[in-house]
């Protein structure tokens, strides 16, 4: 039909619309709305707020949800890049040759115009309170220890989807072919911490410059506690913008 | 609802070749998928190109692609089945089967991508993690596969009421799965590539676009195989799908425009490094040829020039769109992962981008999966003909 012919037709009006057509139209609209609403609700149901005790660079002012609350403070300027921490970690935790639980990065930091300073930055699992790896694991193979706050692995449950490796913003995870599961730093929980009643980790004890200070955030006598609970002391966490609430802190000295 | 062919066409057709084609495609599929079994035996470390830094490789692409394609096909079938729009009813049986086959292909791909797939069934049930979107996605898509199977079986036994019931719950389920996909990927903290506000609508539009393309292409291919022309009702259904295809192409062109803006102007994106790499960096050929040229521009030109009545041109536009969309999903999975974890910390000797290229095993598995789907399509045509379902 031509458009010009349409103009000559009489307007039938909505009052003459058969009730069946109205019902069909309403049914269609409600169905589409229902589907989108249902889908949106489901896509949001799994979102939940993690109970974070620490935020990036903020001092703990509320009671810690863990006891002991294990932490590591890195005195960055002291690191000489000898990598003894890496060797100790590898031999203590049977880390495969192609993996690592901790490593030392070298940074070239601009400190003035045309002047850069070399700084070593040790990195390891941050045992985040709001850990992306814990959140994404479909089988709870990765979990946050409710007692001490360590992000642990139950390797028997790991399906090898590697979502946790993709999700970790700190590159702290690796796939161990020998056990056919993802593995990571657990503050030497199985190899040292469990037996020696929570004193230290392999990397911390191997460090000749005392860069790594392992301790308990709920113990005011702990060296780690004192390092970050001193008035005026500057400390920071890695990638605070992601709001992962790390438990590894960095201080200058 | 669907029409049942009372007088089955007994004219000589090329369907004899369908069985041969099915056998050939199945063999090719087995060859490809055997690389997956080999990888499971020796470990992905030895056969995949993935690394600690880039843990997700090309195999995630066919999973996401086929899952989205299945979603789109289910939406198209729902237009006739759930919403009872008459013009779409002649294409219901084939669309339902294709949706079933694509989801099965997608789930097979993700199974071969896992290091320990045998632990999935047990641990997903005995130790479920409802906070994990990956858990939801696997559960939702597995349920969808079951619902869609019952939907298809009900169509085969001509129980329309039952078919519609399963079509409704399958439709709701798969839409949830599709909307869940954004949350799933956006969680990957460092890999914020997916974390754009438009993603849920983008995924849904893209899925429906791929669904339209698949309906047009495989209806055309089915008629070519059978050696008989489309009837009038089918032609009208395909033309309507073609119009929807055109509208969705414009929608995807808009989203592609947002990507281009993000690639050139960092203030328009949450992931400037990844968007730069996509639009102007190492992936610019993928983007401009695959995502822009093949997925959007060429189909728009073809349909714009020839119209929705020209079936061969429509089929070419659909192939182009599906190939371009596959490249798009590949980029979506890989590009964000290539940005180094500590790129903002002035780390010495840190590469600008992490390297990744698919290994022979990964390519063979992906190819095997595509052949698997094509074999399933031929199998579906044989079943539909044997059961005398008009499609």
């Amino acid at each position: 039909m031509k458009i010009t012919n349409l103009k000559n037709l009489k307007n039938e009006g909505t009052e003459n619309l058969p009730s069946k057509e109205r019902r069909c139209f309403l049914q269609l609209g409600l169905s589409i709305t229902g589907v989108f609403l249902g889908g949106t609700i489901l896509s949001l149901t799994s979102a939940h707020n993690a109970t974070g005790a620490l935020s990036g660079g903020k001092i703990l002012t509320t009671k810690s949800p863990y006891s002991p609350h294990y932490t590591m403070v890195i005195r960055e300027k002291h690191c000489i890049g000898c990598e003894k921490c890496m060797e100790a970690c590898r031999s203590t935790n049977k880390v495969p040759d192609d993996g690592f639980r901790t490593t030392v990065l070298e940074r070239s930091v601009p400190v003035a115009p045309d002047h850069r300073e070399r700084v070593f930055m040790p990195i390891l699992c941050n045992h985040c309170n709001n850990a992306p790896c814990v959140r994404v694991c479909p089988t709870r193979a990765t979990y946050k220890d409710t007692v001490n706050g360590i992000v642990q692995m139950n390797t028997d449950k790991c399906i090898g989807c590697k979502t946790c490796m993709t999700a970790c913003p700190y590159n702290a995870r690796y796939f161990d072919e020998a056990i056919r599961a993802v593995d990571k730093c657990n503050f030497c929980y199985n190899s040292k911490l469990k037996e020696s009643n929570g004193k230290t980790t392999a990397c911390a004890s191997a460090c000749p410059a005392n860069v790594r200070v392992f301790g308990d955030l709920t113990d005011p006598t702990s060296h780690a506690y004192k390092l970050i609970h001193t008035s005026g002391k500057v400390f920071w966490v890695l990638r605070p913008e992601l709001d992962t609430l790390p438990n590894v802190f960095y201080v200058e000295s | 609802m669907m029409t049942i062919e009372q007088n089955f066409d007994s004219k000589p057709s090329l369907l004899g070749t369908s069985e041969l084609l099915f056998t050939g495609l199945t063999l090719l599929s087995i060859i490809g998928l055997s690389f997956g079994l080999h990888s499971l035996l020796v470990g992905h470390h030895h056969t995949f190109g993935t690394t600690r830094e880039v843990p997700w490789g090309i195999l995630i692409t066919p999973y996401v692609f086929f899952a989205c394609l299945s979603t789109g096909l289910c939406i198209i079938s729902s237009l006739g089945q759930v919403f009872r729009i008459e013009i779409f009813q002649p294409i219901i049986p084939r669309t339902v089967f294709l949706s079933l086959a694509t989801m099965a292909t997608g789930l097979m791909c993700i199974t071969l991508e896992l290091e320990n797939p045998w632990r999935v069934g047990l641990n997903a049930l005995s130790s479920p993690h409802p906070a994990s979107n990956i858990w939801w996605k696997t559960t939702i898509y597995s349920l969808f596969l079951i619902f869609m199977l019952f939907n298809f079986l009900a169509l085969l036994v001509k129980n329309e009421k039952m078919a519609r019931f399963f079509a409704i719950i399958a439709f709701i389920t798969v839409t949830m799965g599709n909307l869940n996909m954004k949350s799933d990927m956006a969680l990957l903290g460092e890999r914020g590539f997916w974390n754009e506000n438009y993603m849920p609508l983008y995924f849904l539009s893209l899925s429906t676009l791929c669904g339209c393309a698949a309906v047009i292409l495989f209806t055309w291919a089915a008629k070519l195989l059978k050696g008989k022309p489309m009837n009038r009702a089918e032609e009208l259904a395909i033309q309507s799908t073609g119009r929807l295809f055109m509208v969705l192409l414009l929608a995807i062109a808009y989203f592609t425009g947002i990507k281009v803006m993000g690639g050139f102007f960092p203030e328009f994106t949450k992931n400037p490094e990844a968007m730069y790499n996509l639009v102007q960096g190492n992936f610019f050929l993928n983007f401009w040829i695959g995502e822009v040229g093949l997925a959007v521009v060429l189909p728009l030109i073809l349909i714009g020039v020839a119209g929705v009545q020209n079936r061969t041109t429509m089929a070419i536009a659909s192939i182009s769109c599906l190939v371009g969309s596959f490249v798009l999903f590949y980029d979506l999975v890989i590009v964000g992962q290539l940005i180094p974890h500590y790129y903002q910390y002035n780390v010495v000797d840190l590469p600008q981008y992490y390297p990744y290229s698919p290994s022979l095993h990964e390519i063979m598995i992906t190819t095997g999966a595509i052949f698997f789907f094509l074999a399933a399509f031929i199998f579906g045509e044989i079943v539909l003909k044997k059961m005398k379902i008009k499609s």
Side-chain angles (χ1 to χ4, degrees):
Chain A
M1 182 180 283
K2 287 182 182 173
I3 298 286
T4 46
N5 294 344
L6 275 174
K7 285 182 186 168
N8 301 326
L9 289 175
K10 192 186 166 192
N11 188 348
E12 291 174 359
T14 50
E15 65 275 9
N16 298 322
L17 203 64
S19 60
K20 189 188 169 193
E21 279 191 26
R22 288 185 200 194
R23 279 203 303 275
C24 284
F25 179 74
L26 280 173
Q27 194 183 14
L28 182 71
L30 286 171
S31 308
I32 293 171
T33 313
V35 165
F36 275 85
L37 193 65
T40 310
I41 289 168
L42 188 81
S43 73
L44 296 174
T45 44
S46 56
H48 70 102
N49 296 322
T51 313
L54 296 162
S55 185
K58 289 178 190 163
I59 295 173
L60 178 68
T61 51
T62 53
K63 193 174 182 297
S64 169
Y66 311 107
S67 183
H69 187 157
Y70 288 126
T71 186
M72 185 170 284
V73 182
I74 310 262
R75 305 198 298 171
E76 194 179 66
K77 280 279 175 72
H78 287 222
C79 183
I80 53 171
C82 67
E83 299 186 353
K84 284 192 183 300
C85 50
M86 291 168 66
E87 289 167 28
C89 173
R90 197 176 290 282
S91 57
T92 308
N93 297 299
K94 298 189 182 90
V95 181
D97 292 340
D98 56 344
F100 61 83
R101 290 187 178 198
T102 183
T103 190
V104 180
L105 300 176
E106 190 180 349
R107 297 171 62 206
S108 173
V109 185
V111 288
D114 302 324
H115 181 61
R116 298 178 86 87
E117 192 177 275
R118 288 289 170 116
V119 178
F120 293 104
M121 183 172 80
I123 57 162
L124 67 159
C125 171
N126 281 252
H127 297 279
C128 314
N129 284 354
N130 188 13
C133 58
V134 173
R135 165 78 193 271
V136 298
C137 181
T139 57
R140 296 180 193 270
T142 295
Y143 63 97
K144 185 86 174 157
D145 195 314
T146 50
V147 176
N148 52 38
I150 294 176
V151 174
Q152 298 269 24
M153 274 301 295
N154 182 344
T155 52
D156 290 340
K157 287 185 181 176
C158 180
I159 60 170
C161 63
K162 298 180 183 171
T163 313
C164 54
M165 290 168 67
T166 316
C168 176
Y170 304 106
N171 192 18
R173 296 175 153 258
Y174 60 95
F175 192 82
D176 189 342
E177 288 287 327
I179 55 171
R180 253 196 125 99
V182 173
D183 214 345
K184 61 179 285 299
C185 159
N186 58 0
F187 280 154
C188 295
Y189 185 78
N190 295 328
S191 51
K192 284 174 80 79
L193 217 54
K194 212 158 49 172
E195 286 84 23
S196 62
N197 202 19
K199 292 299 176 195
T200 192
T201 62
C203 57
S205 43
C207 181
N210 209 11
V211 173
R212 298 175 185 237
V213 181
F214 180 74
D216 177 4
L217 276 178
T218 58
D219 177 11
T221 62
S222 158
H223 187 196
Y225 180 97
K226 286 175 184 164
L227 276 171
I228 59 167
H229 285 86
T230 306
S231 179
K233 187 101 175 177
V234 176
F235 67 92
W236 63 95
V237 294
L238 297 181
R239 310 201 63 186
E241 75 280 6
L242 298 173
D243 204 26
T244 54
L245 312 181
N247 281 307
V248 172
F249 300 91
Y250 289 76
V251 293
E252 285 222 323
S253 59
Chain B
M1 267 318 256
M2 58 162 187
T3 50
I4 309 299
E5 197 172 33
Q6 298 298 331
N7 302 311
F8 186 59
D9 187 2
S10 58
K11 277 190 289 184
S13 74
L14 290 174
L15 203 62
T17 53
S18 292
E19 281 82 356
L20 274 177
L21 203 54
F22 172 69
T23 315
L25 288 168
T26 307
L27 282 174
L28 285 172
S29 167
I30 290 169
I31 293 169
L33 297 176
S34 61
F35 279 78
L37 292 177
H38 178 244
S39 295
L40 276 180
L41 287 173
V42 300
H44 293 179
H45 184 68
H46 303 286
T47 55
F48 282 14
T50 51
T51 56
R52 173 187 182 124
E53 286 77 21
V54 187
W56 281 0
I58 192 175
L59 277 180
I60 300 290
T61 306
Y63 169 50
V64 181
F65 174 76
F66 281 114
C68 284
L69 184 54
S70 180
T71 306
L73 285 161
C74 178
I75 290 170
I76 305 293
S77 76
S78 298
L79 294 175
Q81 255 189 320
V82 177
F83 301 111
R84 290 179 164 157
I85 301 173
E86 227 170 278
I87 203 158
F88 289 102
Q89 289 181 355
I91 53 171
I92 288 172
R94 177 176 296 112
T95 313
V96 168
F97 181 79
L98 286 174
S99 179
L100 184 64
T102 42
M103 187 54 80
T105 311
L107 288 174
M108 186 183 69
C109 289
I110 196 66
T111 304
L112 291 172
E113 202 272 339
L114 299 178
E115 294 263 6
N116 308 315
W118 52 87
R119 287 183 187 163
V120 176
L122 181 67
N123 290 324
L125 291 174
S126 66
S127 180
H129 191 200
S132 159
N133 291 78
I134 293 277
W135 182 84
W136 275 108
K137 199 166 70 170
T138 313
T139 309
I140 286 171
Y141 283 154
S142 303
L143 285 173
F144 169 75
L145 194 70
I146 295 167
F147 297 148
M148 222 46 186
L149 180 65
F150 282 118
N151 184 5
F152 186 64
L153 291 175
L155 286 175
L156 288 185
V157 298
K158 294 152 188 139
N159 187 337
E160 290 183 16
K161 208 173 168 184
M162 189 63 83
R164 186 164 189 261
F165 169 74
F166 281 111
I168 291 170
I169 50 175
F171 176 59
I172 294 169
T173 310
V174 84
T175 313
M176 288 171 174
N178 197 257
L179 292 171
N180 180 57
M181 197 171 274
K182 185 260 172 180
S183 309
D184 171 7
M185 301 302 176
L187 274 174
L188 309 179
E190 154 70 19
R191 326 302 170 106
F193 190 40
W194 304 67
N195 193 13
E196 300 281 0
N197 290 332
Y198 60 83
M199 279 293 179
L201 199 56
Y202 182 50
F203 273 128
L204 210 55
S205 314
L206 196 56
S207 302
T208 317
L209 176 80
C210 291
C212 288
V215 167
I216 293 165
L217 175 64
F218 288 104
T219 308
W220 173 81
K223 295 300 160 186
L224 202 68
L225 268 176
K226 288 178 182 171
K228 62 178 188 181
M230 281 186 205
N231 59 41
R232 184 68 187 146
E234 282 172 329
E235 260 186 33
L236 288 174
I238 294 303
Q239 282 174 19
S240 298
T241 313
R243 287 187 195 99
L244 185 58
F245 183 50
M246 187 84 174
V247 172
L248 289 164
L249 278 172
L250 293 171
I252 297 302
Y254 169 74
F255 289 120
T256 310
I258 295 178
K259 283 189 186 181
V260 173
M261 297 264 283
F264 285 108
F265 308 103
E267 61 271 25
F268 286 107
T269 177
K270 291 178 182 173
N271 317 287
E273 296 81 15
M275 294 310 279
Y276 176 85
N277 192 19
L278 178 70
V279 177
Q280 299 187 65
N282 297 340
F283 280 67
F284 85 99
L285 281 178
N286 279 23
F287 181 74
W288 290 105
I289 295 177
E291 295 193 33
V292 177
L294 292 174
V296 180
V297 176
L298 185 61
L300 270 176
I301 291 173
L302 286 172
I303 299 178
V305 170
V308 292
Q309 282 83 12
N310 190 324
R311 289 189 295 275
T312 310
T313 313
M314 289 271 284
I316 295 168
S318 302
I319 294 176
S320 171
C321 180
L322 287 172
V323 172
S325 300
F326 193 87
V327 175
L328 185 156
F329 281 115
Y330 176 76
D331 295 346
L332 206 57
V333 172
I334 303 298
V335 176
Q337 292 184 78
L338 303 186
I339 311 302
H341 291 83
Y342 294 100
Y343 69 91
Q344 65 274 66
Y345 283 84
N346 300 309
V347 175
V348 177
D349 296 333
L350 195 72
Q352 188 186 3
Y353 300 117
Y354 287 137
Y356 169 75
S357 51
S359 68
L360 173 70
H361 277 70
E362 287 175 290
I363 291 169
M364 288 304 287
I365 298 167
T366 306
T367 316
I370 294 168
F371 282 127
F372 174 85
F373 167 66
L374 293 176
F377 160 64
I378 305 286
F379 176 75
E381 290 304 316
I382 295 169
V383 170
L384 288 174
K385 179 159 187 177
K386 288 218 158 87
M387 297 298 287
K388 300 184 181 179
I389 304 291
K390 188 175 180 181
S391 61

